[in-house]
């Protein structure tokens, strides 16, 4: 049997933790990162409302007591009946699977999603394979001690602070929206993309909790001026989505559940200061970060180009194993990364898609690198 243990589902006898909050928009309270034992239970995809707050059902909660617990769902069939007897490849959803309804975000978006039935308040062992894990991957660094992310934040802010106003120095964005530092070293302009996962996650947390990016031990705590100087909620949220993308696995996926689990593990909703609450709004249910100010349009966000080496031929080489011929070209991001597929969305679901889209752009640029000595060609007109 899988029983709810506070933050995720675990086998019977797992570490209990505090129950989740209910729905609705509440005030603040609490604060601080949950104990590590509360976040190691298996985190599975569950039903959520448009704010990312779990939709609950009566089940067995912490301490084997009756409680409202998050409802696990299926978004598609599993491979075989042995994995999940309820719904598998080649079959139709069974009668035991109940479609989600209002206020589920999946119902609102007309996405097929089904509740996995519980028996006596728990998920039977036979149905355990019907759940789908929310795989945090590299985002699991969120579980690290606070000192780890604090050190990472200091390193990022220190790097960004190397821009001191000399000619040509600046903080810019790469095609995915990651922060890029351009600074002079011995008279040569150096370009550095901040791609360390822990640094990006620490920056994501700091901006959502306090609206500015700074570290108390760097430049006397002076905030870093972000590209475009975003000051409203929409602008800051748009700037932070690539930060979370850069902290995630390039080959992974960031969905609604991964987003909400990470913000909950980091206790961002409960640790927001007064400025963040005023700008973004009070957290939902007192603990779930409020993404209601966010809207996302893929075409508008990725209206630019990506630069890459367009290979025209690969032949056996004389001095190297292969001899590659090609030219540096620029093509639209929408065409090369997204096959011109349109998407727009709002709130937590739209934000999660924005994060995953930025991850996809990071992956594409990672797989289509341009040699350093050819980078200057990317600045030429198309």
């Amino acid at each position: 049997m899988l029983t709810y243990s506070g933050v995720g589902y675990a086998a019977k006898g797992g570490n209990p933790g505090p129950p989740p909050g209910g729905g609705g928009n509440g005030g603040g309270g609490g604060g601080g990162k949950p104990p590590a034992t509360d976040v190691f239970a298996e985190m599975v995809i569950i039903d959520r409302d448009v704010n990312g707050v779990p939709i609950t059902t009566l089940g067995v909660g912490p301490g084997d007591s009756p409680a409202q617990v998050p409802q696990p769902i299926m978004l598609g069939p599993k491979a075989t009946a042995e994995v999940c007897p309820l719904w598998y490849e080649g079959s139709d959803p069974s009668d035991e699977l109940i479609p989600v309804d209002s206020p589920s975000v999946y119902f609102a978006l007309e996405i097929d999603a089904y509740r996995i039935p519980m028996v006596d308040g728990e998920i039977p062992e036979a149905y355990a394979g019907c759940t789908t894990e929310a795989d945090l991957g590299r985002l699991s660094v969120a579980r690290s001690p606070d000192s780890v992310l604090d050190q990472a934040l200091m390193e990022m802010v220190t790097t960004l602070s190397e821009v001191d106003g000399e000619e040509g120095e600046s903080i810019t964005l790469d095609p995915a929206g990651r922060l890029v530092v351009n600074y002079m070293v011995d008279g040569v302009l150096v370009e550095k993309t901040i791609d360390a996962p822990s640094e990006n996650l620490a920056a994501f947390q700091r901006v959502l909790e306090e609206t500015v990016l700074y570290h108390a031990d760097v430049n006397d705590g002076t905030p870093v001026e972000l590209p475009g100087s975003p000051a409203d909620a929409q602008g800051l949220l748009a700037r932070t989505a690539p930060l979370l993308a850069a902290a995630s696995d390039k080959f992974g996926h960031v969905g609604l559940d991964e987003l909400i689990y990470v913000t909950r593990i980091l206790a961002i909703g409960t640790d927001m200061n007064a400025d963040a609450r005023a700008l973004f709004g009070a957290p939902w249910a007192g603990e779930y970060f409020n993404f209601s100010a966010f809207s996302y349009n893929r075409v508008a966000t990725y209206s630019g180009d990506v630069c890459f080496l367009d290979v025209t031929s690969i032949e056996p080489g004389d001095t190297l194993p292969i001899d590659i011929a090609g030219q540096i070209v620029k093509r639209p991001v929408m065409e090369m990364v997204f096959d011109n597929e349109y998407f727009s969305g709002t709130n937590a679901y739209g934000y999660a898609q924005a994060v995953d889209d930025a991850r996809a752009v990071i992956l594409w640029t990672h797989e289509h690198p341009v040699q350093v000595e050819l980078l200057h060609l990317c600045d030429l007109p198309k």
Side-chain angles (χ1 to χ4, degrees), residues 46-96:
I46 60 176
D47 200 8
R48 298 180 184 274
D49 68 17
V50 295
N51 305 303
V53 179
I55 293 174
T56 61
T57 188
L58 185 62
V60 176
D64 290 340
S65 300
Q68 289 293 319
V69 302
Q71 172 64 63
I73 59 173
M74 291 183 71
L75 293 174
K78 298 297 182 177
T80 65
E82 287 73 26
V83 173
C84 175
L86 295 172
W87 187 15
Y88 48 92
E89 294 289 352
S91 75
D92 293 323
S94 73
D95 293 337
E96 294 182 73

Side-chain angles (χ1 to χ4, degrees), residues 204-235:
F204 166 80
Q205 179 182 16
R206 175 52 54 92
V207 175
L208 292 193
E209 288 184 352
E210 303 192 30
T211 75
V212 290
L213 179 58
Y214 75 97
H215 190 282
D217 296 330
V218 180
N219 292 339
D220 297 322
T222 303
V224 173
E225 186 172 330
L226 297 172
S229 301
D232 63 344
Q234 168 66 24

